[in-house]
Amino acid sequence: MTAPITSMHIARTADDADRLLSTGTEAVPLAGGTDLLVQRRSGRSVPAVVDLSGLDGDPVTRLENGALRLAATASLTDIAAGLDGRFPALLDAIAVFAAETIRNRATLGGNLATGSPAADTVPALLAADAVVELRGRDRRRQVTMVDFLLGPRRVDLRAGEWIESLWLPAPPGAGGMRKVAGRRAQAISLVSLAWQWELDPHGRRTAVRLAMGAVAPTVVRLRRAEAVLEGAPSTPEVAAQAAAAVSADIRPIDDLRAGADYRRRCAAGLLREVLGDVPPSTPSTPSAQIRSTHR
Amino acid sequence: MTTPDTAGTPPRNWVGRSRPAVEGAEIVTGELVYVTDRRVPGMLHAVVVRSTVPHAEIRRLDTSAATALPGVVAVLTAADVPVNALGPREVDGPVLCKTVVRQVGDAIALVAAEDAATAAAAAAMVTVDLEPLPVVDGPDAALDPASPQLHSVGNIAGRIAFASGDVEAALAGADLVLRRTVHTPAQEHLALETPGGMAIWADGKVTIWCGSQNPGLHQRKVARALDIETSAVRMIAGPVGGAFGARNDDPVPVHLAVLAHATGRPVHLHLTREEVMTAGTKRHPFTTSIDIGFDRSGQIVASQVIAVADTGPVITSGPNVLKTSAEMSTGPYRFPMASFSGTVVYSNNSNNGAFRGYGVPQVAFAVENALTEAAAELGIDPVEIRLRNVLRGGDPHSLYRHRTTDSLQVETTLRTAAAHPLWTDRQGWQAAGDGLWRRGTGLACAMKGVGMGSGTGDVARARLEIDATGAVTIWAGPNHTGQSIQTTYEQIAADALGLPIDAIEVRVGDTDFVPESGPTAASRSTYAGGGAVTRACAELRETCARLGLPLATDPAGTGEKLVELGSAAVEAEFFLPSTEDIGLIPADQLATYGPHRVYGACTQVVRVEVNIRTGELRVPDLLSVVDCGTAINPAATIGQAEGGALQGLGLAVMEEHRLVDGVPVTTNLENYLAPTIADAPHMQTVLISGHEDTGPYGAKGMSEVVVVPAPPALAAAVLDAVGVLPDRLPVTPERMLTWLEEQPCG
Ligand SMILES: Cc1cc2nc3c(=O)[nH]c(=O)nc-3n(C[C@H](O)[C@H](O)[C@H](O)COP(=O)(O)OP(=O)(O)OC[C@H]3O[C@@H](n4cnc5c(N)ncnc54)[C@H](O)[C@@H]3O)c2cc1C
C-alpha cells in the first residue's frame, strides 16, 4: 500500500518555492504529478511535497534574436499553445506525448527531472542546445542540457533546487520529432528522434542537431551522424552513411518494451526516414512476393 | 454512428430497434453503484496474501504477527476453509494454498481488518517460507517426463482428438500442401472494473455482491467451500464493469464468502490491477500447426490441425476451450476430410481460462492464414478461394459431419464484405501509400457456435410475474456482465407480450430470484436467455387467452384478475436445440465434442500501413460484416462488434501477457499494451439480415465471433502491404522489422 503524503505546501511565487524547498525536510517538488504519483504507487516514499503547479508567469517568453524561455512548471498544453508554431521539434514531441489529459498536467520540468532516457520532450530540448535554469534559496544556476543529464534517473539537481525554466536560442524552421512506441498514445518510447537543421540554397544541411531517446542511459546527441550530415548534400548515400554512424553514439539495452538489437535497427531506420531516405512505393503483388515468416 | 433499424416486416415495436442500455444514464453519469463500490458501516477490508514465486513448497506459514496487529480481525489460511476446494476435482485447485503454490499470485491467506491500510500492513507481516521447486514454464516443460508433475493426474489437463478420414493419404494427392505453425499469446481480459465486491454473513446465510458470468456456479462453489447448502448462498452478481470470460473462473466470490463466514462481518475485497494481471486468468496461449491441402482450383482437400495450449496451474476452462478449438479447426469451410488433435497442459505460468472466442481465435489464425497463403500461391483472389470452400447453412461440418443450421450465412458476410469499398478499392488504397508507409488490405472470416453445444444440457430459464397494476417483472439469465442483456430481454418481452416496454422490468444476476440459467458465455445470452423470456411471455399470453383476459389492451385489469386467481407467475425454460444430425460423432460421446447446431459468422476487412524503416503498424480502417440473425438491439450489437473487433486487433498487434521462467512481467497497464482510442481504426459494421428459426425473433449469438477474423485479416493485410505473412502474434514493431529485413521491400 502506498505510504501517505503527510505534508503538502502550495508555492504561489518562485520565492515561495525556494523557501519551501529549503526547509531541510525531504520535501520534493510536485508539478503535474503524472510521474511522481506513479512512482509512489511503485513504492517510492514521498512524505512531503511542494506544489509548483500554481506558479504564474507566461508559459513561453520570446526574447531577443528569437530566443525562447519556457516555463518549466507550465503544462505541456500551455507550452504548445504559447509556442505558436515556433520550435517544431518540441511541438511534435508534445503532440505524441501521452494523451491530452496527461498533457494538461505534465510539465517540462517534471519530464526533465525524472531523468528518464525515454522522456519525450528531452530530445527536442537537447537538440536545441537548451539551457536548464535552476534556482533555490539564494542561488541560481544555469546548466546545459548535456551536463544536466547524468544517467538513468539521475540529473544534476541539488537539494533544495528546482527547475524554473529552459532557455534556448532561436530554433530553426526545419525540425521535428518522431516517436516509435508500441501504440499511438499513452506509451513509452521505444526509440525517439528529434532533429533540427538549416537548409542552404544548395540543399545542404547545416547546423545539424540530432538527439535520440531510449537508446542510451540518457537522451543522447548523435554527434557522429551530425558530422556526416553537416554540410553534406541530401543524397541516399549520405543518409545511409549517417544511419550507419548512429550505432556508435547509442548504447541501447534490452528491456520489456524492446530488444537492444531492435533499438539499433530502428534508430538507424528512423534517421533514414527523417532524412527522407525512403524507396519509392512499389505496390506488392502477393502471389509473386509471398514469403511466409516460417523458417 | 448511425444505427440501423432491423425491425423488419412485419415491423416490431421494440425488437430490431436500437435502444440505450437501461442503466446507460447511470453509467455515464457515474451514479451506478458497481459491486466494488458497495460500502456498509462496520465493513471490514480484506487483502489476499499471494505467492511471489511460480512453484514452491510451503514450508511454514506464520500468521501470528499479522493476527496480533491492532485492527486485524482475521487472518485465514487453508486450515480455516471448511472445504478447501474450488471445485469437485483436485485439479480445480484449492481456495487457499496449503502445501504448495503453483503460480505467482496463488492465494495463500486472506486478511481482514478494520481498514484497508491495516489489512495491507498485516498482509505484509504474514511470513511464508517457500522452498522453490523446479518451474514448469510451458508446454515443452510440461510434456517432458523429467519435469515435476503438477497434479496427481500428471501435467496433461486434457486431450481431444477426432478424424473424419485418412488425412495424410488425402494430402498426398493434393496440388498444394501447406504445413505451418502459428503462435498466439496469452491475452488479458482487461475488464475496466477489477474483481471484487462485498459479502455479508447473517442468519446462517451468505450474500455475495461480486461480478459473475455464472452466478449459479459460483453459488455452488461457495456452498462447497463453506460446506453449506446452496440455498444458504445468495450471489448478487452485478452491476459489474466487464467480464469477457474473466468472471467465469474467478475465485473472488469464494474468497469473499470465506471471509464473511469467518468474521461474521461485512467484508470488502477489491483486487488491484497489478493483482489481477498477475493472478487472474488470461486467454490460453496456443501453438497451432496446420497441414492443409488444396487442389489447383483452391478447393480444400483435407486438413489436419494440432493444437497445444497452456492452462497454467489449475484446470479452469482448459479442456472446454480446446473442445471449441477442435470444432472450429476447420474454419467456416466445407471439405471432405479433417482431423484435429489437441493437448492442454498444466504449467506454473499464469492461469488461463475462459476468454471471449474461447479457443477459436487461436486455431482460426492458423486456418485463415493458410487460406490467405494458398490464395497467393494459387493466384486466386482471397475472397474467391473462401467462396469456393465456404460452408453453407445446412451443410455437414467438415470434422464431425454434423448438420449446421440453415441460418448460417458465412457466404453472405463474405460477399457483402467483398462488395464494400474497403475491399473493392484496395488497389487504390495501396497505390496511394508512400514508400515509407506501405499499405495493404486483408480479409478473413469465421464462424462460432452459439451455446454450449449439443448434448451438454444447456438450458436457460425465466420467471415472469404480473402484478395488479399490469406491471411485469421478469427474472432471467444469463446475467448482465457489461452488455446490458436486460435491455435485450425487455425488448423481447415487450413484443412478446404486446406491452409498452416501460411496463416491463427485467432483473438478472441474483440467485435468490433468477432461476438457474447457466453462464453468460458461448454467445448464448440473447439466444438462450431471450428464448426463455420469449417462452415465459408466451405462457402468460396462453394463460390470458385461456381465461379470456385482454392482456394487451387492459394489462391492469388482466394483472388484477391473474393475481386474484393465483396465476400471475409463470416460469419457462429454453433448451439449446441439438444438431439434427450428429454425423460421425458416437451418440454416447455427443457432450465430449459438443457440436453446435447454431453458429454466428463474421467477415472482417482490415487496412494497414506498415512503416518499412521502423516496423510500426497502423490500422486506419476495419469493417465487420456480421451474421447474427435478427439483431434485437442493433446499436448494442454494433457495440459488441466494435468492441470485439478491437479486442481481436489488440491480440493481433500489441497484447501479450509475458512471463519469464513462470514469473509474469507484464503486470500493469504501462507495460502490457492494449489499444487506446488513438489506436482504434475507424470501424464500420454491417449487420446482414437473417433469421435463426430456433432463436428469439430469429436472433442468434455474435459477440465472440467478431473477435476472431481480426488477427488473420490483419496478417493478410500485412502480406498485401509488404509481402510477409506474420505467423506469430502480436505483430509488434520489433517483430515486423525483423520480418521486413528478412524480406526487404526496398
Ligand atoms: C499515462 C501516462 C502517460 C505518460 N506518457 C508519457 C509520454 O508519452 N512521454 C513522456 O516523456 N512521459 C510520459 N509520462 C510520464 C510523465 O507524464 C512525464 O515525465 C511528465 O513530464 C512529468 O511531469 P510532471 O509535471 O507531471 O512531473 P511530476 O510527476 O510532478 O514530477 C516528476 C518528478 O520531477 C520532479 N519535478 C517536477 N517538477 C520539477 C521542477 N520544476 N524542478 C525540479 N524537479 C521537478 C518531481 O519531484 C518528481 O521527482 C506519462 C505518464 C503517465 C501517467
Side-chain angles (χ1 to χ4, degrees), chain B residues 403 405-407 450 526-532 534-535 574-580 597-599 691-701:
Chain B
R403 190 181 192 285
T405 180
D406 288 334
S407 78
V450 175
T526 296
Y527 177 74
T534 317
R535 279 171 174 62
F574 175 84
F575 287 94
L576 185 85
S578 287
T579 169
E580 289 164 308
R597 169 179 178 143
V598 178
Y599 297 86
H691 194 275
E692 167 53 44
D693 290 342
T694 63
Y697 291 99
K700 59 183 182 180

Side-chain angles (χ1 to χ4, degrees), chain B residues 631-650:
Chain B
I632 305 281
N633 186 349
T637 309
I638 291 169
Q640 287 288 320
E642 291 183 347
L646 196 55
Q647 211 157 26
L649 260 191

Side-chain angles (χ1 to χ4, degrees), chain B residues 546-591:
Chain B
R546 206 174 53 239
L547 299 170
L549 298 172
L551 176 64
T553 49
D554 181 15
T558 302
E560 204 176 333
K561 191 74 194 164
L562 288 171
V563 171
E564 211 178 288
L565 294 169
S567 306
V570 294
E571 191 165 325
E573 299 181 322
F574 175 84
F575 287 94
L576 185 85
S578 287
T579 169
E580 289 164 308
D581 174 355
I582 64 171
L584 300 176
I585 298 175
D588 62 341
Q589 288 174 38
L590 192 56

Side-chain angles (χ1 to χ4, degrees), chain A residues 106-198:
Chain A
T107 63
L108 292 177
N111 204 224
L112 260 174
T114 59
S116 163
D120 281 328
T121 65
V122 175
L125 295 169
L126 183 61
D129 278 333
V131 173
V132 187
E133 301 184 316
L134 300 157
R135 62 182 283 168
R137 194 173 203 167
D138 305 326
R139 57 190 148 129
R140 303 267 164 128
R141 257 189 335 134
Q142 297 200 331
V143 185
T144 61
M145 284 289 295
V146 183
D147 292 335
F148 187 72
L149 306 172
L150 298 178
R153 299 256 157 212
R154 277 178 46 232
V155 292
D156 181 14
L157 194 62
R158 300 177 191 159
E161 266 181 355
W162 58 285
I163 308 167
E164 184 177 31
S165 49
L166 289 129
W167 176 93
L168 56 128
M177 186 268 194
R178 258 280 273 143
K179 165 176 179 172
V180 176
R183 68 179 169 201
R184 296 174 72 185
Q186 311 283 45
I188 300 174
S189 288
L190 304 177
V191 176
S192 63
L193 173 63
W195 66 93
Q196 61 177 53
W197 54 65
E198 308 276 2

Side-chain angles (χ1 to χ4, degrees), chain A residues 188-253:
Chain A
I188 300 174
S189 288
L190 304 177
V191 176
S192 63
L193 173 63
W195 66 93
Q196 61 177 53
W197 54 65
E198 308 276 2
L199 269 183
D200 76 9
H202 312 289
R204 292 167 202 275
R205 296 186 178 91
T206 60
V208 179
R209 305 257 191 289
L210 308 170
M212 197 164 255
V215 291
T218 65
V219 175
V220 287
R221 283 282 289 272
L222 302 180
R223 305 273 182 195
R224 289 174 180 81
E226 288 173 3
V228 172
L229 294 170
E230 189 66 38
S234 316
T235 62
E237 292 71 32
V238 169
Q241 266 180 43
V246 168
S247 205
D249 277 320
I250 63 177
R251 279 187 291 145
I253 54 163

